[in-house]
Amino acid sequence: MSIDKSKTLSRMKILTELHGAPGFEDDVKSYLKSEMSPYVDDFVYNRMGGFYGVKRAKSKNSKKIMVAAHMDEVGFLITHITDNGLLQFTNLGGVATDIWQGQRLKVKTRNNEEIIGVVANIPKHFRTGNEGAPKIEDLLLDIGCESEQDVINRGIQIGDTIVPDTPFTQLSEHRFASKAWDNRYGCLLGIELLELLKDVELDFDLYVGANVQEEVGLRGAKASAELIDPDVAFVVDCSPANDMKGKQNLSGELGQGTLIRIKDGTMILKPKFRDFLLDLANKFQIPYQYYMSPGGTDGGEIHKANIGIPTAVIGVCARYIHSTNAVFDFRDYDAARNLILQSVKNLDDEIINTLQYK
């Protein structure tokens, strides 16, 4: 079975344009559930907001495999409304401070309305030359209001969230720009993995879903891992590429395939798991690249849960993540989708035991 590229691109557009700041992932969750429902037997939930669709094996007491994305994207939280109708905010997740002035962002109100504004900046005419990079708390979002009451009348309150206002855009045959590819990539892959396995009978229960609040410190992953207690876990996440001036060590290069993350700041890939993935990539001619990162993924929490869960990260890289636009390559997504599909299809009890204890 294969999935038509136009269907994948439609899902990419919907997912990346959804509003889903950390702790406010409901829109993403609703879409994921609607897309996953035809391919799962039921859903399980943790109390933080994470959820997983379950494709169950015929036999009871089967082993459990987990495929984990995260729903949230970096964003902001409104902290103050000024007398003249501007919005102050704090960051939700790790963002650079010098990239937001002059950018369009959108507020989501508690009535689920989205209101677009522009981050204030000082025109060159009024600059003294002594301005440094602003702090996030010094930035102001201008939504066209003239007073605090004007803002309130539009339904905006302190505690509402903000994300970039970025349309999904095709740049060339293979490359696209969007916000939130970190990590709507993993959300999309989860949907399509289940669709590709629709008519495949597995010998284990497959849990596919997404965690909350990854961008603010991997907060939702532990609750999911302890809920499911999987025998093996795969994390599907997007990582920063640093290839604008050519290949830079093991930091990802667009168009060169899926990422096999061998080390990051939160987890080291087990040698047996590494070899399992490499054997599959070579057998099925899946383009891949080694990747290292000082940061981490939900795998950092999942692999430590309970008595230990063998965990691997199957990722893609994108340029300029955690900003208003990420640039990514469809071929990398295709490679990642193929590798996770073959990984799941080729697992059995013997391999699972090897990944756990060897």
Side-chain angles (χ1 to χ4, degrees):
M1 179 184 178
S2 62
I3 298 174
D4 186 82
K5 185 176 180 179
S6 63
K7 187 175 185 180
T8 298
L9 292 177
S10 175
R11 286 169 168 162
M12 277 185 184
K13 176 178 172 60
I14 292 168
L15 278 165
T16 57
E17 292 182 357
L18 285 172
H19 196 298
F24 297 82
E25 299 95 345
D26 286 351
D27 288 355
V28 183
K29 185 175 181 178
S30 295
Y31 177 74
L32 285 176
K33 284 188 64 180
S34 69
E35 289 291 297
M36 292 165 62
S37 289
Y39 312 117
V40 299
D41 296 298
D42 54 88
F43 289 98
V44 296
Y45 306 86
N46 66 50
R47 295 172 186 166
M48 289 189 68
F51 82 103
Y52 283 75
V54 190
K55 178 181 170 66
R56 297 197 180 274
K58 285 190 174 180
S59 58
K60 293 190 176 182
N61 301 316
S62 297
K63 290 190 173 354
K64 293 177 283 188
I65 305 302
M66 177 185 195
V67 178
H70 70 85
M71 291 178 272
D72 57 314
E73 63 186 295
V74 294
F76 305 96
L77 185 80
I78 296 172
T79 58
H80 181 65
I81 303 169
T82 67
D83 291 343
N84 61 340
L86 300 173
L87 307 179
Q88 288 182 289
F89 47 85
T90 188
N91 59 296
L92 294 172
V95 296
T97 61
D98 59 348
I99 61 173
W100 300 101
Q101 291 175 293
Q103 300 289 345
R104 289 191 177 195
L105 309 180
K106 57 184 177 182
V107 180
K108 184 182 177 186
T109 73
R110 296 176 199 193
N111 294 322
N112 289 323
E113 294 181 23
E114 291 189 329
I115 296 173
I116 296 170
V118 178
V119 180
N121 66 91
I122 304 172
K124 181 172 178 59
H125 314 69
F126 302 138
R127 297 189 181 214
T128 65
N130 297 319
E131 293 83 7
K135 297 178 180 179
I136 294 296
E137 56 265 30
D138 293 332
L139 296 175
L140 295 165
L141 184 65
D142 188 340
I143 58 169
C145 290
E146 299 181 36
S147 67
E148 179 183 5
Q149 190 59 49
D150 194 4
V151 173
I152 293 170
N153 290 344
R154 294 183 71 181
I156 293 173
Q157 301 181 51
I158 290 172
D160 289 344
T161 55
I162 304 169
V163 299
D165 176 41
T166 306
F168 178 74
T169 304
Q170 184 163 2
L171 302 177
S172 63
E173 180 182 358
H174 300 297
R175 295 189 177 178
F176 298 81
S178 76
K179 73 170 183 66
W181 189 232
D182 176 16
N183 182 34
R184 306 296 156 70
Y185 145 71
C187 297
L188 172 63
L189 191 148
I191 295 168
E192 299 204 328
L193 172 65
L194 287 169
E195 183 174 357
L196 290 166
L197 291 170
K198 177 182 178 182
D199 299 318
V200 177
E201 187 175 317
L202 300 173
D203 294 329
F204 46 78
D205 294 340
L206 179 64
Y207 290 73
V208 180
N211 306 317
V212 298
Q213 298 190 44
E214 191 269 356
E215 296 293 2
V216 288
L218 317 183
R219 296 180 186 176
K222 184 178 180 182
S224 295
E226 292 183 348
L227 168 71
I228 297 168
D229 190 20
D231 293 281
V232 171
F234 296 90
V235 172
V236 284
D237 203 349
C238 175
S239 302
N242 187 27
D243 66 341
M244 289 75 75
K245 295 183 179 180
K247 189 173 183 180
Q248 304 288 318
N249 300 319
L250 299 182
S251 59
E253 188 174 6
L254 262 61
Q256 297 304 303
T258 185
L259 305 182
I260 296 178
R261 181 181 284 238
I262 54 175
K263 176 184 178 294
D264 64 27
T266 64
M267 193 186 83
I268 300 169
L269 179 62
K270 291 179 72 171
K272 291 294 184 182
F273 216 150
R274 175 202 62 205
D275 295 344
F276 171 70
L277 296 175
L278 292 176
D279 288 347
L280 290 173
N282 290 323
K283 178 180 179 179
F284 293 98
Q285 298 182 310
I286 301 168
Y288 69 90
Q289 49 190 319
Y290 289 109
Y291 189 82
M292 289 177 59
S293 173
T297 72
D298 278 341
E301 288 296 318
I302 293 170
H303 85 289
K304 297 184 296 184
N306 299 325
I307 62 170
I309 299 167
T311 303
V313 181
I314 295 179
V316 294
C317 63
R319 296 172 181 164
Y320 330 125
I321 68 172
H322 290 206
S323 72
T324 55
N325 284 274
V327 173
F328 59 92
D329 195 301
F330 188 93
R331 294 168 294 185
D332 297 335
Y333 171 74
D334 188 59
R337 183 176 56 186
N338 197 5
L339 183 57
I340 189 68
L341 176 65
Q342 298 304 333
S343 296
V344 170
K345 289 174 69 173
N346 284 276
L347 280 175
D348 57 31
D349 284 354
E350 182 179 355
I351 293 172
I352 291 169
N353 184 73
T354 297
L355 297 179
Q356 288 177 325
Y357 294 107
K358 300 295 177 67

